[in-house]
Amino acid sequence: MNEIVANDRLGAFCRHTHAEMKGAPGGPLVGLTFGVKDIYDIAGHRNGFGSPDWLRTHDAATRTAPVVQSLLDAGADMVGKTHTDEITWSLNGENAHYGTPVNVNAPGRIPGGSSSGSAAAVAGGLCDFALGSDTGGSVRAPASFCGIFGIRPTHGRVSLAGACPLAPSFDTCGWFARSAELLERVGRVLLGGKKGEAPRRLLLAEDAFGLAGEAVAGALAPAVARVSALLGKPERVTVAADGLSQWHQVFRVLQAAEAWAQHGEWVRRVKPSLGPGIKQRAQWAADLDPALVDPARKRREEIAHHMDGLLAGGAVLALPTVPGIAPIRNALPAETEDFRARALAFLCPAGLARLPQVSLPLATLDGCPLGLSLVAARGADAMLLELATKLK
């Protein structure tokens, strides 16, 4: 075990599934270190997936996940595997079995999840960048909470072969960095190196800012002004005419149906010891009325079509990443679930419409980080990454 992991005082890295690999001697990422969320296959090692029961009931991988191999081939050194919430089904980062990684930029508060260890490791300077995954917000929320850069790419843009799934039609491979320049540099490797088209106009999600409240909107106003200085005066738009909370319900049904299709048989057979929140979500998924699924799928495609039209012509949509700063650690379950539901209303549009989204650490509130998000059309990942590097 290397010194980085051995001396990790943030609880970001896994000891029980430790793996490390040297990168190629040359390449665009040579000299950089990265962590890997404990859902990605590393040849000869088992995935923990945030669950001791998963670790116990699954064999070692026979090959390394392509996305990890791409980073190694580009010269970066993998220093360890990072903690995740159980089966990636949480936004908190509080794992009942392995603990909660430290959020160095908001002491006493959660790092966010499910990519908790990756976000904590990057924020704490333990590695240069880290891989996470984002289904409902598991890169974007921790990026906002920890005050770092994070991207959820266009769905399907980066390979998830060799990664533990949660809800495949929403799952994406995302990553974190402490600078926009490094976030974009990693993107050139994982997205194929093509330059993005120039953004042409800025949209302001009036309903999202209204839902977040005056304190959040006020804290983010200078960040919005920085984007406006590059793209021009924003056009105020309503993203969800029927309400972002209604969109969250569509996401909730589809995520639960897909998650149970993926893991229901394992849950029934193994009867894993699931922690608070995850246990209740699994039970809700098990009891989900199948008649709800097809209407939700239809509504999802309507939402995607609406978002396609909204973002046509090089538009960029600005909104709060989440509706507030990181919640306090060990909060009451009712408070945790309330914040999660409110956060998913902000996070679900990109997932439902399969869009790329970056969270930028451009604001603070009450001394804690607060992210501004930018969303663009499908395939416009490079445009977002390049735009982020210009927001000085």
Side-chain angles (χ1 to χ4, degrees), residues 7-13 100-104 120-121 123-126:
N7 297 325
D8 169 21
R9 296 179 182 274
L10 303 181
F13 287 101
T100 306
V102 174
N103 181 345
V104 296
L126 301 183

Side-chain angles (χ1 to χ4, degrees), residues 6-337:
N7 297 325
D8 169 21
R9 296 179 182 274
L10 303 181
F13 287 101
C14 301
R15 307 296 178 91
H16 57 290
T17 56
H18 177 69
E20 58 185 278
M21 300 175 77
K22 292 289 291 183
L29 301 180
V30 71
L32 297 175
T33 59
F34 71 104
V36 174
K37 186 175 183 177
D38 192 22
I39 69 166
Y40 292 97
D41 285 352
I42 304 297
H45 296 267
R46 289 184 295 161
N47 271 323
F49 205 18
S51 164
D53 290 307
W54 184 276
L55 181 66
R56 175 176 59 82
T57 55
H58 289 79
D59 295 329
T62 57
R63 64 187 293 257
T64 297
V67 65
V68 177
Q69 192 61 54
S70 294
L71 296 170
L72 295 167
D73 292 345
D77 294 333
M78 175 189 163
V79 294
K81 300 196 83 175
T82 57
H83 282 295
T84 173
D85 281 302
E86 283 181 276
I87 59 176
T88 68
W89 207 347
S90 177
L91 286 178
N92 280 6
E94 296 178 296
N95 188 303
H97 310 288
Y98 300 117
T100 306
V102 174
N103 181 345
V104 296
N105 291 323
R109 295 178 179 270
I110 62 171
S114 61
S115 306
S116 54
S118 290
V122 169
L126 301 183
C127 56
D128 295 308
F129 67 95
L131 282 182
S133 66
D134 190 307
T135 300
S138 289
V139 165
R140 293 164 289 162
S144 182
F145 292 159
C146 291
I148 55 178
F149 293 84
I151 180 171
R152 171 202 169 89
T154 297
H155 184 263
R157 185 76 188 272
V158 180
S159 173
L160 277 173
C164 300
L166 178 60
S169 80
F170 294 95
D171 295 347
T172 61
C173 170
W175 59 98
F176 302 94
R178 288 187 301 279
S179 73
E181 288 76 16
L182 183 51
L183 196 78
E184 191 269 339
R185 188 173 163 192
V186 173
R188 270 180 269 151
V189 171
L190 297 183
L191 300 172
K194 294 181 180 178
K195 287 192 68 66
E197 295 183 5
R200 296 177 185 170
R201 57 199 179 96
L202 177 62
L203 309 177
L204 201 65
E206 197 164 35
D207 49 344
F209 278 96
L211 194 60
E214 291 184 6
V216 169
L220 290 173
V224 172
R226 288 162 70 175
V227 184
S228 300
L230 290 176
L231 300 185
K233 183 179 179 181
E235 175 189 348
R236 295 180 178 274
V237 298
T238 296
V239 174
D242 53 340
L244 289 167
S245 60
Q246 292 300 309
W247 286 20
H248 166 223
Q249 293 307 315
V250 175
F251 168 81
R252 185 179 183 224
V253 166
L254 295 178
Q255 183 197 45
E258 292 188 24
W260 193 250
Q262 290 293 319
H263 302 303
E265 186 278 330
W266 175 76
V267 169
R268 286 193 168 118
R269 174 171 49 85
V270 173
K271 296 179 175 55
S273 174
L274 298 175
I278 291 85
K279 180 179 181 179
Q280 286 77 15
R281 260 160 247 146
Q283 187 60 58
W284 192 83
D287 296 338
L288 181 68
D289 183 353
L292 297 174
V293 177
D294 281 344
R297 286 184 181 137
K298 180 181 178 183
R299 182 62 186 134
R300 179 189 189 178
E301 297 312 317
E302 292 170 350
I303 289 169
H305 180 72
H306 166 71
M307 293 299 293
D308 288 345
L310 192 67
L311 294 168
V316 173
L317 176 71
L319 73 162
T321 302
V322 285
I325 61 175
I328 297 291
R329 290 173 60 153
N330 302 315
L332 294 173
E335 295 174 2
T336 297
E337 286 304 304

